Amino acid sequence: MSVDSAQLGAFLAAVVALVASPGPATLGVAAAGAAFGFRAARFFLAGLLCGAALTILLVGSGVAGALLVHPIVAPILTGLAALYMAYLAYRIATAPPLGEQDSNARAPGFLPGFVLAITNPKAYAVFAALFSGFIVIPDDVPRDALLKGWVIMALLTMIDSSWLYVGSTLRHLFHDPKVSRQINIAFAVLLLVSVALAVGV
């Protein structure tokens, strides 16, 4: 197995630049961390990462590409994704400040994170660009795809965990109702903007 070091370096730089940039998933996990703390939101992160792994598998294997070229499937999936992201933005914007939350308030769990990941239009576009834009192992398509998938997943895990940590460091601000509301709305607006950019609105 001969790895093209120049291609690998460019690929790593592209993964960090594209995956770490603000988008529905990164903003969603940061918002969960800010509202509920790192420990409480770790199940949301786990769901997000499992959903991302499935998305990487679908894109890397060509299944997602085969489905999305269908003239009916792509618009439907894009529409459903946009609606789900808008719903999440609404939930974030209308979430009560930390001081007003009752003791039963819980962080989003595994399933919301998983759904967010598999309906994230940015992820499909980014993963497709990463898989098609670089040839890390020349003349060995299966191993090339496998290596790129593992690298993307490893960096994605570190990056999303970092976003969760950064969000959780803002948690102390949520004790101020006014600041809490402003942060909730800011996260919601950023999420909507990222969705609009991802679906090309």
Side-chain angles (χ1 to χ4, degrees):
M1 181 177 69
S2 177
V3 176
D4 186 325
S5 57
Q7 279 285 299
L8 178 59
F11 177 72
L12 290 172
V15 172
V16 173
L18 293 174
V19 173
S21 61
T26 51
L27 290 172
V29 75
F36 299 98
F38 190 97
R39 182 177 177 82
R42 68 189 187 280
F43 297 109
F44 180 78
L45 173 64
L48 195 67
L49 293 175
C50 287
L54 176 58
T55 304
I56 290 170
L57 178 62
L58 292 174
V59 173
S61 64
V63 172
L67 289 174
L68 294 175
V69 296
H70 195 283
I72 296 178
V73 173
I76 291 176
L77 290 179
T78 301
L80 290 175
L83 287 174
Y84 184 74
M85 300 298 178
Y87 167 74
L88 285 179
Y90 170 78
R91 289 290 304 274
I92 292 170
T94 59
L98 185 62
E100 297 177 10
Q101 292 177 359
D102 59 45
S103 59
N104 295 322
R106 297 193 307 174
F110 181 92
L111 185 59
F114 185 82
V115 173
L116 174 59
I118 63 173
T119 60
N120 180 4
K122 178 192 173 186
Y124 289 93
V126 166
F127 297 154
L130 291 171
F131 273 101
S132 64
F134 302 88
I135 301 176
V136 179
I137 303 178
D139 304 319
D140 195 335
V141 174
R143 288 187 178 182
D144 180 66
L146 186 61
L147 177 60
K148 287 187 286 192
W150 278 111
V151 169
I152 293 171
M153 193 64 215
L155 291 176
L156 183 67
T157 300
M158 291 187 288
I159 289 167
D160 282 356
S161 297
S162 298
W163 272 93
L164 177 58
Y165 174 76
V166 169
S168 67
T169 61
L170 300 176
R171 181 169 166 77
H172 69 282
L173 298 176
F174 278 53
H175 289 283
D176 183 327
K178 290 184 179 180
V179 174
S180 175
R181 177 64 63 198
Q182 291 172 352
I183 292 175
N184 284 345
I185 292 174
F187 269 124
V189 170
L190 288 172
L191 183 56
L192 287 174
V193 170
S194 70
V195 172
L197 292 174
V199 300
V201 174

